[in-house]
Amino acid sequence: MAANVGVMNIALNAVEERADELAALGESNEKLGRLDDSTAKILRDTGVIKMLQPAEYGGAEAHPRDFAETVMRVASLDGATGWVAGIVGVHPWEMAMCDAGVQEQIWGADDETWIASPYAPMGILKPVDGGYIFNGRWQFSSGTDHCQWIFLGAFLGDENGERLMPPQSYHVILPRSDYTIVEDSWDVVGLRGTGSKDVIVKDAFIPSERAVPFSTMMDGSALAASGRTNPTYAVPFTTIFPLGITSAVIGIAEGALAHHMAYQRSRVQVTGTKVTDDPYVLFAISAAAEEIKASRTALLDNVTRIFDKVAAGESITFNERAASRRTQVAAAWRAVRAMDEVVARSGGNGMRMDNPIQRFWRDGHMGLAHAIHVPGSVFHATALTDLDVVPPPGPMLSMI
């Protein structure tokens, strides 16, 4: 079954119907330090988190472009909600290629079950009979209060629990009963409503089928073993995982612009000049709007091009993966820079805590700080691949 862009995006239409509710819940999310239960219910009702979930478990198996556009729209209404949609919404894509029995454990009784992360390898798997003993502590588990399972990054250890060299990275799947969420561990300047708390695992037993070598996601062997034929699942991990995060950042910039425009329509500056009569502010607004639109277009065109290639049975080269990451990172930075231009022209009242502009501004900068948006190694690696240094050395290979 192929995912077709251009067909009706049911989830996006459902989001539009609940847009006012999602926007109104933004302040509550921030005060709670996690998504309000009502916000999570809307995400469930609209089907956003299940867009990349397998059809046999009630999912849409959507085109990644449709997923990205939906995340952008949610984030334009509230940054924290869009962020959780973009991250938690990617996890069903990976789970679709994991062990079939594990999928049934998670979704068999309730296909609305959400899966958290993070993937950062902050734990160690110690081999034992039938599986592993697992320990570690992770930060930044977005939306974790509303999830009943989790993917956690790990390195493979030896019989003493010491990391093997060279490092071997795993994604480990655990039920809520096997990890502890650390309350009061999420006190940050932006994206406060995401509830991206720390989690701790202490001596959990992990059956072998719930420890997934990350290499199998990267080299396509997990997809081959799953038997899935929808090209959505053939899009590289390093394209699909950043997609949800960057879509949220672009949507946040769109939200900041929308609130700025609503605020400026009737604003009179301290000089007595209406904003609608100030050519300098009007120029900045238009320039920023085009930059944000360019970021959206670049990200959507990028994932569509990758999808079209895998749908045609073509492989994605390392060079193409690197260029894809460059486009994704650049799109996030371009959108946030443009957002800064309009926020800087919102006046002092734009920074009052009862004005949503400042929340979008804080959320956008927090989103840009995610490791997936760090440009240095990505741009370095992409330049080297363009100069035929393939693959580039050392850590620059990470997440390409």
Side-chain angles (χ1 to χ4, degrees):
M1 181 181 68
N4 296 310
V5 69
V7 300
M8 181 178 291
N9 186 338
I10 296 173
L12 180 56
N13 290 342
V15 166
E16 293 293 356
E17 292 175 0
R18 309 290 293 274
D20 290 344
E21 295 175 71
L22 284 170
L25 284 161
E27 187 175 350
S28 177
N29 298 332
E30 174 147 305
K31 287 180 178 178
L32 289 169
R34 61 168 176 82
L35 291 192
D36 188 297
D37 291 348
S38 296
T39 304
K41 185 177 185 304
I42 293 173
L43 288 182
R44 295 181 195 279
D45 291 347
T46 55
V48 174
I49 304 298
K50 294 170 70 174
M51 290 188 74
L52 302 180
Q53 194 159 307
E56 67 265 31
Y57 291 111
E61 297 194 8
H63 193 297
R65 181 184 181 117
D66 287 343
F67 172 68
E69 288 185 310
T70 305
V71 170
M72 288 177 186
R73 180 54 177 149
V74 174
S76 76
L77 299 167
D78 175 58
T81 309
W83 185 266
V84 172
I87 289 183
V88 177
V90 163
H91 298 150
W93 175 91
E94 179 172 2
M95 183 53 63
M97 292 174 279
C98 292
D99 179 83
V102 176
Q103 293 179 50
E104 183 63 21
Q105 278 185 275
I106 295 172
W107 289 321
D110 181 6
D111 61 23
E112 295 290 345
T113 300
W114 290 6
I115 308 165
S117 58
Y119 291 119
M122 304 305 293
I124 297 291
L125 285 167
K126 176 183 173 182
V128 295
D129 288 344
Y132 308 88
I133 297 297
F134 192 36
N135 286 280
R137 179 167 181 155
W138 295 256
Q139 295 179 307
F140 311 124
S141 183
S142 297
T144 198
D145 289 293
H146 297 283
C147 299
Q148 294 302 316
W149 286 76
I150 198 167
F151 279 115
L152 291 173
F155 285 123
L156 182 62
D158 60 19
E159 64 277 5
N160 298 313
E162 298 295 325
R163 189 176 77 174
L164 291 176
M165 297 300 289
Q168 299 177 47
S169 181
Y170 279 69
H171 289 175
V172 184
I173 307 163
L174 296 88
R176 182 72 168 266
S177 58
D178 283 357
Y179 60 95
T180 300
I181 297 171
V182 182
E183 296 298 334
D184 301 321
S185 58
W186 183 241
D187 186 13
V188 289
V189 70
L191 293 173
R192 295 178 65 87
T194 64
S196 301
K197 301 172 183 177
D198 293 10
V199 297
I200 296 175
V201 175
K202 178 66 175 175
D203 293 331
F205 174 71
I206 308 297
S208 298
E209 66 270 16
R210 289 203 272 112
V212 182
F214 182 48
S215 60
T216 66
M217 289 291 164
M218 294 291 284
D219 65 15
S221 56
L223 172 61
S226 74
R228 299 201 179 276
T229 58
N230 187 325
T232 285
Y233 299 114
V235 173
F237 181 93
T238 52
T239 298
I240 204 79
F241 171 62
L243 180 68
I245 300 173
T246 305
S247 295
V249 169
I250 293 170
I252 288 167
E254 292 175 332
L257 177 62
H259 281 286
H260 173 83
M261 296 295 285
Y263 172 54
Q264 298 289 47
R265 282 187 176 91
S266 59
R267 179 175 167 232
V268 178
Q269 300 175 84
V270 69
T271 60
T273 304
K274 293 181 179 179
V275 167
T276 52
D277 293 331
D278 187 331
Y280 306 107
V281 173
L282 297 177
F283 178 91
I285 290 172
S286 287
E290 277 304 303
E291 285 295 283
I292 294 170
K293 186 173 77 173
S295 297
R296 163 186 275 266
T297 300
L299 190 70
L300 296 177
D301 285 357
N302 182 61
V303 74
T304 300
R305 179 180 56 81
I306 295 288
F307 177 92
D308 288 347
K309 288 203 70 171
V310 298
E314 300 178 39
S315 298
I316 306 300
T317 66
F318 181 88
N319 300 56
E320 289 173 317
R321 295 203 310 269
S324 173
R325 284 279 279 123
R326 177 180 61 198
T327 296
Q328 166 255 318
V329 171
W333 280 81
R334 183 188 298 119
V336 172
R337 288 191 187 108
M339 178 181 66
D340 284 347
E341 291 296 317
V342 295
V343 171
R345 290 165 174 84
S346 294
N349 287 323
M351 292 294 102
R352 292 189 183 276
M353 296 304 288
D354 62 355
N355 191 326
I357 294 171
Q358 52 75 30
R359 189 175 73 244
F360 281 89
W361 180 64
R362 289 185 287 108
D363 289 350
H365 280 276
M366 189 71 184
L368 195 63
H370 191 285
I372 210 70
H373 290 139
V374 175
S377 60
V378 172
F379 286 8
H380 190 169
T382 308
L384 287 175
T385 60
D386 288 343
L387 293 169
D388 300 323
V389 180
V390 181
M396 286 183 290
L397 290 171
S398 177
M399 279 306 294
I400 291 179

